Amino acid sequence: MWEDSLRAVGAEPAVLSVEEYRARQQRIFSQLRPDDLLIITAPQESTRSNDVQYPYRSSSDLLYLTGWADPEATMIAHSEQGKWLVTLFVQPKDVLMEIWEGRRPGTEGAVAEWAVDCAESHSDLKSILDERLSKCTRVLVKTGVDYDIDEIVTEALQANSRARQRYGSGPISIEDPSRRISELRLRKSEGEISQMRHSAKVASQAHIQAMKNTRPGVGEWQLEGVIEGLFKYARTSGTAYPCIIGSGDNATVLHYTVNDDICEDGEILLIDAGCEYRGYASDITRSWPVNGKFSEAQTEIYQLVLDSQLAAIDKCRIGNPYDAPHEEARRVLAEGLINLGIITQTLEEALDPENGELKKWYMHNTGHWIGLDVHDVGVYRPDDEARVFEEGMVITVEPGLYFGSWRPDVECPPRYSDIGIRIEDDVLITTDGPDVLSSDCPKTIVEIEAIVGTA
Ligand code: GLY
Ligand code: MN
Ligand code: MN
């Protein structure tokens, strides 16, 4: 059905090795004290309706440190005689549950095939965790993820003074390990980059299929079906976030996800869609004319956004501050809007964060880190200084212009009424400059006009 798309995506990359997970764990352990206890939590399953669960998605930190994706899993790590030991709590083997819900690796499978030293049944979590907590002085845990663990840790802290009196031990402080883990997650390894490139390749083909199937009268939801269908067909786990498929004035709503309108002749269609492959997100936006031919006004805005995006991508270089692409995109967009007569201020005035007119039409940031989370972890301004790009970081570059005629807060220039354009790519920082992971997805006017409506 979509064999050409699969061929264009190419072979799936190698799965991440157990050694890679071990190395990630060691990078965290090297920052810890011998009497620390590290707990990596994951959300509990969530019920959709009677007997039906939402599809389970584990926490990105647990995926990062173990690769374990099934529900009811918790990782803990403690040090014994100078060696850090990882224990993973998992769903145990259970024939009846496996008949109903699917096969489980169980504790034996976990130890045999994952980067863990020991595995226990999740039903023994409380007793084993209580024991470990009584022996540590500091517990590193992110609260607010698994409320059962919050309760166990809080009780341990509250009981601490009594425990200290009796046993001379027990946790006395709690720290969120997220910052330490996010520093690691921010810089992607070769293995991770392969997964992300694959994710972006699949998402690029999904956009191409949506372009091919766009013609006046098609439903936004039908194109959503094409995109989600291809995500599954290519063996990803599906969308990394709800698809944004907005035609006409819907293209000017930044996070429009209703996707229930008909695409009409003369309108622009904006699609922001990415998939998740082995946990890794892609995030791509393209905007194209429903009838396959940009009007003059649409061309003016599209080319301006594309120019700003290309200029911003060129700023994705080692040593530049993370917001250099944003500042560059803003500058190019403001200059272009002044040239088109849409902004009557000077360039400096237009860029002013308080009174500048640019923000009427461009009101969001130009990018975010991307990885296991689509809006990935990583502090942008450590110690209030803009972080500079390093090799292995991946950031989106996604400028846009949105002329919503429905907006009561601005007077939309009639020539550009309901034109919404965003162009978004996923960019890897390398020693050779920006590497666009989503470069398979067409974005010049000529390329797009040659594809739209050809299915
Ligand atoms: N897809 C959401 C975003 O671009 O940030
Ligand atoms: Mn994005
Ligand atoms: Mn996006």
Side-chain angles (χ1 to χ4, degrees):
M1 182 164 72
W2 283 312
E3 298 314 316
D4 287 352
S5 302
L6 291 192
R7 259 192 297 281
V9 169
E12 293 188 58
V15 295
L16 296 174
S17 65
V18 167
E19 290 72 35
E20 172 150 358
Y21 289 106
R22 287 282 188 195
R24 295 174 182 181
Q25 294 167 3
Q26 284 306 324
R27 270 184 229 122
I28 294 293
F29 299 155
S30 67
Q31 302 172 29
L32 302 186
R33 306 192 297 238
D35 51 359
D36 281 342
L37 176 68
L38 175 66
I39 306 175
I40 304 294
T41 49
Q44 297 182 0
E45 283 188 285
S46 173
T47 302
R48 184 178 182 279
S49 73
N50 198 20
D51 290 339
V52 180
Q53 307 292 89
Y54 282 104
Y56 186 72
R57 193 345 178 123
S58 189
S59 78
S60 295
D61 282 350
L62 187 66
L63 289 173
Y64 182 75
L65 289 173
T66 67
W68 188 270
D70 291 344
E72 290 192 296
T74 307
M75 173 190 143
I76 68 171
H78 71 285
S79 172
E80 265 178 32
Q81 285 141 19
K83 184 173 174 351
W84 281 88
L85 297 173
V86 173
T87 303
L88 190 65
F89 293 87
V90 301
Q91 292 175 321
K93 298 288 284 179
D94 177 329
V95 176
L96 192 59
M97 290 305 290
E98 290 182 61
I99 288 170
W100 280 92
E101 295 182 351
R103 309 291 298 277
R104 298 173 170 183
T107 53
E108 282 177 19
V111 172
E113 291 183 45
W114 274 261
V116 301
D117 302 294
C118 171
E120 302 281 356
S121 166
H122 203 262
S123 54
D124 295 332
L125 175 69
K126 180 164 166 44
S127 60
I128 295 173
L129 194 50
D130 276 342
E131 164 83 9
R132 286 273 148 242
L133 282 162
S134 74
K135 292 183 177 148
C136 76
T137 59
R138 183 174 67 162
V139 51
L140 293 100
V141 64
K142 181 176 179 179
T143 55
V145 179
D146 179 337
Y147 293 102
D148 288 343
I149 291 194
D150 291 357
E151 200 177 306
I152 295 168
V153 170
T154 309
E155 272 177 17
L157 282 163
Q158 283 166 350
N160 170 49
S161 54
R162 224 159 12 120
R164 284 211 153 256
Q165 199 174 16
R166 275 197 210 158
Y167 313 116
S169 61
I172 54 174
S173 70
I174 181 167
E175 186 189 300
D176 185 345
S178 303
R179 175 89 182 249
R180 297 174 193 273
I181 301 169
S182 70
E183 279 300 309
L184 301 186
R185 285 177 49 191
L186 185 53
R187 299 161 186 87
K188 275 69 178 175
S189 69
E190 284 302 317
E192 289 183 288
I193 291 164
S194 303
Q195 316 301 320
M196 292 191 69
R197 200 182 296 280
H198 191 82
S199 181
K201 278 178 166 288
V202 172
S204 297
Q205 292 307 315
H207 278 262
I208 291 170
Q209 284 297 343
M211 286 179 194
K212 287 183 175 174
N213 283 281
T214 301
R215 51 179 57 84
V218 72
E220 294 168 349
W221 66 94
Q222 292 174 313
L223 298 175
E224 186 174 21
V226 169
I227 286 174
E228 293 202 3
L230 197 138
F231 285 170
K232 285 294 192 184
Y233 197 75
R235 212 156 81 138
T236 73
S237 47
T239 55
Y241 54 90
C243 294
I244 296 167
I245 307 196
S247 56
D249 60 350
N250 302 326
T252 68
V253 177
L254 302 179
H255 282 174
Y256 170 84
T257 52
V258 189
N259 306 343
D260 66 350
D261 214 348
I262 303 243
C263 303
E264 307 280 2
D265 193 8
E267 290 179 340
I268 286 287
L269 171 67
L270 181 155
I271 294 193
D272 183 343
C275 57
E276 188 174 275
Y277 178 69
R278 295 183 184 156
Y280 288 89
S282 46
D283 183 5
I284 301 179
T285 308
R286 290 292 184 266
S287 314
W288 60 84
V290 168
N291 63 16
K293 179 91 183 102
F294 286 93
S295 70
E296 256 184 48
Q298 290 167 352
T299 299
E300 288 163 13
I301 301 303
Y302 187 89
Q303 193 59 49
L304 174 54
V305 175
L306 182 56
D307 290 346
S308 76
Q309 202 231 13
L310 295 172
I313 289 174
D314 195 53
K315 294 289 176 191
C316 296
R317 292 177 185 277
I318 291 173
N320 276 353
Y322 82 93
D323 54 357
H326 182 53
E327 294 311 325
E328 184 67 1
R330 276 169 37 82
R331 187 186 63 75
V332 175
L333 289 174
E335 268 179 6
L337 293 180
I338 291 168
N339 291 339
L340 290 171
I342 297 170
I343 290 182
T344 52
Q345 296 172 316
T346 65
L347 179 62
E348 197 185 338
E349 287 167 349
L351 292 170
D352 184 81
E354 294 296 315
N355 301 312
E357 284 184 21
L358 177 64
K359 70 172 190 297
K360 285 189 196 172
W361 317 114
Y362 182 43
M363 59 297 273
H364 59 76
N365 276 324
T366 302
H368 49 82
W369 307 125
I370 178 167
L372 284 167
D373 290 313
V374 64
H375 288 188
D376 208 25
V377 292
V379 177
Y380 289 96
R381 301 188 64 82
D383 305 320
D384 208 26
E385 286 281 326
R387 188 188 287 279
V388 296
F389 287 131
E390 294 170 38
E391 185 179 3
M393 294 178 177
V394 186
I395 192 161
T396 66
V397 179
E398 49 179 306
L401 288 171
Y402 311 92
F403 296 98
S405 66
W406 54 272
R407 282 173 55 188
D409 60 324
V410 288
E411 202 168 319
C412 178
R415 177 174 171 78
Y416 303 107
S417 179
D418 292 332
I419 295 178
I421 306 281
R422 179 162 66 253
I423 307 173
E424 175 173 27
D425 282 302
D426 305 339
V427 180
L428 168 68
I429 310 295
T430 80
T431 51
D432 296 329
D435 177 356
V436 180
L437 301 178
S438 45
S439 62
D440 288 357
C441 196
K443 62 181 174 184
T444 67
I445 287 179
V446 171
E447 286 170 332
I448 285 175
E449 289 188 341
I451 296 174
V452 173
T454 55

